[in-house]
């Protein structure tokens, strides 16, 4: 049986893997919400942070269905009803981009969301 490290190395150097990776990265970085987040945090967000956080950014764009346009919780289009993800920079010891969630249901009841 092949060791997992050898398999991962082989996959990482595969042309089709690199092509899919670059396409996914392009999709992430062209997302309007991601671009806005990077622009709002210019000077704080580095290319290294973005590269290290690609999976979190992909998770964000996959789960967020433009909550600001959602008229009500009953019409929520997200996988988890009421899930309202937001990108946040969190640091110390290493700074990274994470997803903080706010539930729309608590926001609609007038409660302060926790981030």
């Amino acid at each position: 049986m092949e060791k997992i490290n050898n398999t991962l190395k082989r996959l990482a150097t595969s042309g089709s893997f690199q092509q899919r990776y670059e396409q996914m990265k392009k999709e992430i970085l062209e997302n309007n919400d991601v671009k806005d987040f990077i622009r709002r945090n210019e000077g704080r967000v580095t290319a290294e942070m973005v590269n290290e956080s690609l999976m979190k950014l992909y998770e964000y764009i996959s789960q967020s269905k433009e909550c600001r346009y959602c008229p009500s919780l009953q019409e929520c289009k997200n996988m988890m009803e009421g899930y309202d993800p937001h990108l946040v920079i969190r640091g110390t010891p290493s700074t990274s981009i994470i997803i903080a969630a706010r539930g729309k249901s608590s926001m609609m009841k007038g409660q302060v969301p926790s981030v």
Side-chain angles (χ1 to χ4, degrees):
M1 181 182 283
E2 185 175 14
K3 289 184 179 182
I4 189 72
N5 286 342
N6 293 339
T7 303
L8 291 174
K9 284 179 189 175
R10 193 176 76 246
L11 282 173
T13 58
S14 164
S16 63
F17 175 82
Q18 285 295 101
Q19 188 176 18
R20 287 192 315 267
Y21 174 82
E22 291 301 324
Q23 179 59 37
M24 183 180 285
K25 183 176 177 180
K26 181 180 178 202
E27 178 185 333
I28 292 166
L29 297 177
E30 288 179 353
N31 178 276
N32 287 332
D33 289 335
V34 171
K35 287 194 300 191
D36 288 343
F37 175 78
I38 293 170
R39 193 174 15 257
R40 280 193 320 270
N41 292 285
E42 189 174 348
R44 292 180 66 200
V45 174
T46 64
E48 182 181 359
M49 280 173 61
V50 171
N51 284 328
E52 289 177 2
S53 302
L54 282 176
M55 289 310 297
K56 282 294 177 189
L57 293 170
Y58 182 76
E59 179 183 342
Y60 172 78
I61 68 171
S62 299
Q63 293 180 0
S64 177
K65 304 297 181 206
E66 299 183 331
C67 295
R68 65 184 166 275
Y69 301 118
C70 186
S72 70
L73 183 60
Q74 291 74 27
E75 297 177 56
C76 183
K77 297 175 184 166
N78 289 338
M79 187 183 319
M80 292 179 3
E81 187 177 277
Y83 181 62
D84 185 14
H86 295 271
L87 295 172
V88 177
I89 298 172
R90 189 143 309 150
T92 318
S94 63
T95 304
S96 61
I97 299 169
I98 64 163
I99 300 172
R102 296 192 304 198
K104 277 190 170 185
S105 57
S106 64
M107 290 174 62
M108 292 184 157
K109 294 177 187 170
Q111 299 171 353
V112 177
S114 60
V115 177

